[in-house]
Amino acid sequence: MNKFVIFLSILTLSILLSFSADSAFAHPHSGQIMINNHTHEPQTEIIPINSMIGLEKSTIFFHAPQANKLPWGFVEGKVANHVEGYPVIIQIFKNNHAVHFAQTDIGDDGIYEYKFRVLNSDKGHTTKIFEGDYSVKIFKVVYLNQENLI
């Protein structure tokens, strides 16, 4: 029951934080992801839930080019200090408007991956589900002080 209450609190907090997307577009900064000829580095902050665990919020950027022919996109990563039993929550925004929400489990090795459709093809007709620039917010429950754990 306690995990359920914490999970609902995290979900509520992540939805409320999703409305503050302006900080995701801070400039200047270096990085590896080019969007509109500008590089972006993932931004991460940790929001404490209690004295042991916190919500790690990372914002990355995703670009689906107009000439894209690949049907899938994905979000992946590794969490070194994840709290077992809590999924990764993924939110995708275009122009600060939510377009996709998902959650995925974290493996025993701390790795997570979420695949999503970028293109849909039906009877020879292709529909672009994602095109252009997006911000992706990733929420993970992590231990605050990994060295204090036994």
Side-chain angles (χ1 to χ4, degrees), residues 7 75 79 82 86-90 102-106 110-114 137-141:
F7 177 74
V75 176
V79 187
H82 74 280
Y86 293 95
V88 171
I89 297 171
I90 299 165
Q103 72 179 39
T104 188
D105 291 327
I106 301 172
I111 294 175
Y112 65 92
E113 180 181 70
Y114 174 71
K137 295 183 183 194
I138 304 166
F139 298 90
K140 301 163 270 198
V141 179

Side-chain angles (χ1 to χ4, degrees), residues 5-136:
V5 172
I6 290 174
F7 177 74
L8 285 179
S9 299
I10 291 168
L11 184 60
T12 302
L13 182 62
S14 65
I15 290 171
L16 291 174
L17 288 173
S18 69
F19 296 111
S20 63
D22 294 337
S23 65
F25 301 103
H27 296 274
H29 48 257
S30 61
Q32 300 175 359
I33 301 167
M34 294 289 291
I35 295 179
N36 293 335
N37 296 320
H38 184 79
T39 57
H40 291 267
E41 183 176 301
Q43 299 175 352
T44 301
E45 66 178 295
I46 295 181
I47 304 155
I49 296 172
N50 60 34
S51 63
M52 292 287 293
I53 63 175
L55 182 64
E56 181 180 296
K57 173 189 168 190
S58 299
T59 302
I60 60 173
F61 296 91
F62 164 66
H63 177 74
Q66 186 175 15
N68 178 47
K69 303 249 186 255
L70 300 173
W72 296 98
F74 63 93
V75 176
E76 67 179 358
K78 183 171 185 174
V79 187
N81 58 347
H82 74 280
V83 178
E84 191 171 327
Y86 293 95
V88 171
I89 297 171
I90 299 165
Q91 302 174 340
I92 303 176
F93 296 85
K94 183 167 186 158
N95 299 323
N96 292 335
H97 297 292
V99 295
H100 190 78
F101 291 96
Q103 72 179 39
T104 188
D105 291 327
I106 301 172
D108 292 336
D109 55 1
I111 294 175
Y112 65 92
E113 180 181 70
Y114 174 71
K115 294 180 184 178
F116 57 96
R117 277 288 212 191
V118 176
L119 294 177
N120 188 40
S121 185
D122 186 29
K123 297 179 184 173
H125 177 70
T126 301
T127 304
K128 294 181 179 184
I129 301 168
F130 288 90
E131 182 177 38
D133 300 331
Y134 298 85
S135 62
V136 180

